[in-house]
Amino acid sequence: VAFGYFIQPVETRNGPQQFRISVNQVFPWFGIQGAKGDLAAQASKTKFEVFQDAKAKLYNEVRNSYYNLYFTKKAISILDENIEILEFKTKRELRPWIVPVLEVLNETFKNIYGFVPLSAKEMKDFARRYLPILDPAFIIAARIDVELVGFIISMPDISSGMLKARGRLFPFGFIHILRAVRKSTDLLMLLGGIKEEYRGRGIDAIMGSKILESAAKSRMKTLDSHLVLERNTSTRAEYERINAKIIKTFRIFQKAL
């Protein structure tokens, strides 16, 4: 609606005109109304995605703050309990600890489905076979006084080297494997455990933090948890606390014949 007033009358065929009133109604062209609706929906979706992103960032900040607080409190309690975290710089330092670590493995894995305890001979064979490719920086242990109570064994992903070596160490296969150890940016969490009576004291948080520090120094880009039972909620919680994601799920089906 528009209204106009003339200062001086305008002569028309119907006589002098002093003011004017008009009414206009615009009808959109075919498809324009729908396009505007689509544009509004897209703008709304964009704003929603921005909101979701901000929400996720806030969630991660709160969770990280909580984890740092949890870590600090547990670190203080560990110091009070005289718990020592063992880190290794050379394979020579690591060698005498491999069998004790595997003994703790037998104790902590005894109730896990499908686990078969290692014999003393198998432990020594394991140490002999894997020590050459293990990186001491990615192996952490914990002890109280003289008792070993927990450990984490991880290593760089060497699958690319194994493919090039075609599964053979000799005559030149070991060169590909050692090269893969140095160049890998993926860290595999192979084994880890804490004696039952020492769980819930934050030893896992401290050892996990040390592994992450070593991974960052070695410029690792991803960390693979290896296999974790779905009902193993305590181990899953440790990975979820650092924002890990499930990328593979394995199922075993059984049928009576």
Side-chain angles (χ1 to χ4, degrees):
V1 177
F3 176 82
Y5 179 81
F6 303 113
I7 297 176
Q8 293 184 352
V10 177
E11 292 295 334
T12 67
R13 65 180 180 175
N14 295 323
Q17 184 180 357
Q18 293 183 341
F19 60 89
R20 180 179 63 189
I21 297 177
S22 62
V23 178
N24 295 322
Q25 175 64 53
V26 179
F27 293 94
W29 189 251
F30 300 106
I32 292 180
Q33 198 71 18
K36 288 184 177 180
D38 293 341
L39 183 62
Q42 188 63 36
S44 175
K45 183 178 179 181
T46 301
K47 290 182 179 179
F48 180 73
E49 292 295 335
V50 172
F51 166 74
Q52 288 290 85
D53 183 60
K55 178 182 175 182
K57 287 182 179 179
L58 177 61
Y59 173 77
N60 286 331
E61 288 175 2
V62 172
R63 180 168 59 179
N64 289 338
S65 297
Y66 172 79
Y67 180 73
N68 290 335
L69 178 61
Y70 170 83
F71 173 81
T72 301
K73 289 182 176 180
K74 289 302 182 180
I76 293 173
S77 67
I78 283 176
L79 291 175
D80 292 339
E81 293 188 44
N82 194 31
I83 298 175
E84 181 184 1
I85 302 300
L86 303 176
E87 297 181 79
F88 309 99
K89 295 181 179 180
T90 65
K91 292 180 181 179
R92 185 175 182 180
E93 292 179 359
L94 175 62
R95 188 187 301 274
W97 291 98
I98 293 182
V99 171
V101 161
L102 295 178
E103 290 173 348
V104 176
L105 169 73
N106 275 350
E107 183 174 345
T108 55
F109 277 47
K110 61 185 179 183
N111 295 323
I112 294 180
Y113 174 78
F115 175 71
V116 178
L118 298 173
S119 66
K121 181 179 181 302
E122 287 173 326
M123 291 181 190
K124 293 180 180 179
D125 184 59
F126 185 95
R128 179 183 59 81
R129 291 171 57 190
Y130 289 97
L131 184 62
I133 60 174
L134 288 176
D135 188 335
F138 299 126
I139 299 176
I140 303 292
R143 68 175 176 179
I144 297 179
D145 297 326
V146 296
E147 181 185 5
L148 197 66
V149 299
F151 70 95
I152 293 178
I153 298 177
S154 59
M155 66 178 293
D157 185 4
I158 61 172
S159 57
S160 60
M162 293 292 289
L163 286 173
K164 291 180 179 179
R166 297 184 179 181
R168 298 177 181 177
L169 288 177
F170 302 104
F172 304 111
F174 71 95
I175 297 176
H176 297 297
I177 294 173
L178 292 177
R179 188 176 297 166
V181 170
R182 292 194 301 269
K183 293 186 176 182
S184 178
T185 57
D186 301 324
L187 186 64
L188 303 180
M189 304 296 288
L190 298 179
L191 299 166
I194 297 173
K195 289 184 177 180
E196 188 171 0
E197 61 269 29
Y198 295 101
R199 295 171 188 171
R201 301 189 185 186
I203 300 175
D204 50 352
I206 299 295
M207 293 195 299
S209 175
K210 294 295 184 181
I211 287 292
L212 291 177
E213 287 178 9
S214 296
K217 290 179 182 178
S218 300
R219 298 181 180 180
M220 293 291 174
K221 295 181 179 179
T222 60
L223 183 149
D224 193 330
S225 70
H226 204 52
L227 299 179
V228 178
L229 286 176
E230 196 170 34
R231 61 177 178 269
N232 189 347
T233 54
S234 58
T235 300
R236 289 182 57 187
E238 294 301 323
Y239 289 114
E240 291 168 2
R241 199 175 279 130
I242 59 174
N243 203 29
K245 297 179 180 179
I246 297 175
I247 58 172
K248 300 174 186 176
T249 301
F250 297 89
R251 292 280 184 263
I252 299 176
F253 298 92
Q254 179 176 321
K255 180 179 179 181
L257 299 176

